[in-house]
């Protein structure tokens, strides 16, 4: 887990503000995945990115949510105009390849919207 | 529509005994299955996986069994230890989906000393 770094660990935002969640994958990993865990539920896939490309965003809400993984720097999950229902734990995972290999998860960012 | 289901939200086991965690899936396209362990306020940690071409995979105290015809898999932990107390998630992926995983809702395992 220590290899995938997410920050901040905790984020409090007022309704209507923007939330930016950062994820630095493990060294050498170019595949990044974002998941969301609502209270008392399992993790739900949101988006899969490779460097500079969104590969699959089938789990992303259509509005207010966006993700990027630039050539340099961490992957960013951005939530605009947050609402209370966005309160959740957001996890990032990275893997070395696309195939059936282990994905390593970060410790997550807990977003609380007040 | 829950494609991966863990029907037992919690399980309590005595230390030294076997823990059996179950998982059912509905999508016949799933061909790779994983178990993750999660402690509070931490990210999931990979435990063990199995490809659909196998029916069993073993790693130390952990064994995963896959029954494709029943669309069912289980994780056996023998012997169970108090440090195994955590939430266990079953996850699955299909073909080239790689690590775009579909997770179950989790089972909270409590191992009593």
């Amino acid at each position: 887990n220590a290899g995938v770094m997410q920050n901040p660990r905790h984020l409090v935002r007022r309704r209507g503000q923007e939330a930016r969640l950062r994820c630095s994958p493990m060294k050498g990993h170019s595949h990044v995945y974002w998941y969301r865990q609502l209270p008392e539920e399992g993790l739900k896939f949101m988006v899969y990115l490779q460097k500079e490309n969104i590969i699959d965003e089938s789990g992303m809400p259509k509005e207010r949510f966006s993700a990027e993984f630039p050539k340099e720097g961490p992957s960013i999950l951005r939530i605009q105009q947050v609402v209370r229902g966005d309160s959740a734990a957001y996890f990032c995972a990275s893997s070395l390849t696309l195939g059936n290999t282990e994905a390593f998860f970060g410790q997550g960012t807990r977003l609380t919207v007040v | 529509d829950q494609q991966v289901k863990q029907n037992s939200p919690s399980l309590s086991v005595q230390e030294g005994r076997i823990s059996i965690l179950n998982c059912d899936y509905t999508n016949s396209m799933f061909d790779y299955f994983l178990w993750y362990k999660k402690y509070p306020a931490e990210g999931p940690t990979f435990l063990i996986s199995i490809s659909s071409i196998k029916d069993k995979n073993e790693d130390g105290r952990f064994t995963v069994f896959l029954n494709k015809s029943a669309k069912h898999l289980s994780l056996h932990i023998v012997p169970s230890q108090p440090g195994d107390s955590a939430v266990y998630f079953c996850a699955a992926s299909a073909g080239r989906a790689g690590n775009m995983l579909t997770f179950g809702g989790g089972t909270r395992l409590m191992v009593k000393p």
Side-chain angles (χ1 to χ4, degrees):
Chain A
N1 275 357
V4 178
M5 303 301 295
Q6 289 188 249
N7 67 81
R9 289 292 308 275
H10 300 276
L11 182 61
V12 179
R13 284 287 177 265
R14 294 187 184 279
R15 281 178 294 172
Q17 290 185 319
E18 178 179 287
R20 283 195 177 214
L21 290 64
R22 294 174 184 77
C23 169
S24 296
M26 284 187 71
K27 188 175 181 179
H29 286 193
S30 60
H31 301 260
V32 166
Y33 313 82
W34 285 93
Y35 289 83
R36 175 166 67 174
Q37 184 183 24
L38 296 170
E40 305 303 320
E41 293 187 14
L43 285 76
K44 297 283 195 295
F45 167 76
M46 298 181 76
V47 62
Y48 161 40
L49 309 104
Q50 289 185 43
K51 282 287 186 180
E52 300 183 276
N53 290 304
I54 296 174
I55 307 302
D56 189 306
E57 53 183 349
S58 57
M60 286 274 272
K62 298 296 182 218
E63 297 177 351
R64 302 189 296 109
F65 285 71
S66 62
E68 62 178 10
F69 188 15
K71 187 176 180 181
E72 301 291 336
S75 175
I76 306 286
L77 179 67
R78 183 199 296 184
I79 311 172
Q80 296 178 301
Q81 299 173 346
V82 295
V83 301
R84 288 232 171 100
D86 297 332
S87 296
Y90 292 82
F91 292 97
C92 166
S94 73
S95 67
L96 190 58
T97 65
L98 169 63
N100 292 337
T101 61
E102 177 185 350
F104 294 85
F105 281 81
Q107 292 188 295
T109 294
R110 268 151 189 81
L111 172 65
T112 302
V113 179
V114 297
Chain B
D1 175 31
Q2 275 191 287
Q3 297 187 61
V4 178
K5 289 185 182 179
Q6 294 176 254
N7 291 319
S8 298
S10 64
L11 175 67
S12 183
V13 170
Q14 204 68 32
E15 181 179 7
R17 299 290 188 104
I18 184 171
S19 295
I20 300 176
L21 296 95
N22 293 303
C23 178
D24 297 294
Y25 62 96
T26 57
N27 188 342
S28 55
M29 297 300 291
F30 287 147
D31 60 359
Y32 189 59
F33 305 89
L34 309 91
W35 284 93
Y36 282 85
K37 174 181 179 179
K38 187 180 179 304
Y39 293 117
E42 292 187 13
T45 302
F46 171 78
L47 270 179
I48 192 168
S49 63
I50 188 166
S51 165
S52 60
I53 62 173
K54 295 186 174 182
D55 54 20
K56 177 183 174 182
N57 189 26
E58 191 172 353
D59 184 1
R61 296 187 298 115
F62 302 92
T63 303
V64 55
F65 295 91
L66 175 63
N67 182 335
K68 288 187 290 292
S69 60
K71 293 191 177 65
H72 177 83
L73 64 156
S74 60
L75 174 68
H76 293 211
I77 306 173
V78 181
S80 301
Q81 300 172 354
D84 295 330
S85 297
V87 177
Y88 289 77
F89 290 98
C90 168
S93 71
R96 292 282 295 168
N99 282 298
M100 292 184 288
L101 301 172
T102 301
F103 279 84
T107 296
R108 183 178 304 276
L109 173 66
M110 292 162 283
V111 180
K112 298 179 179 179

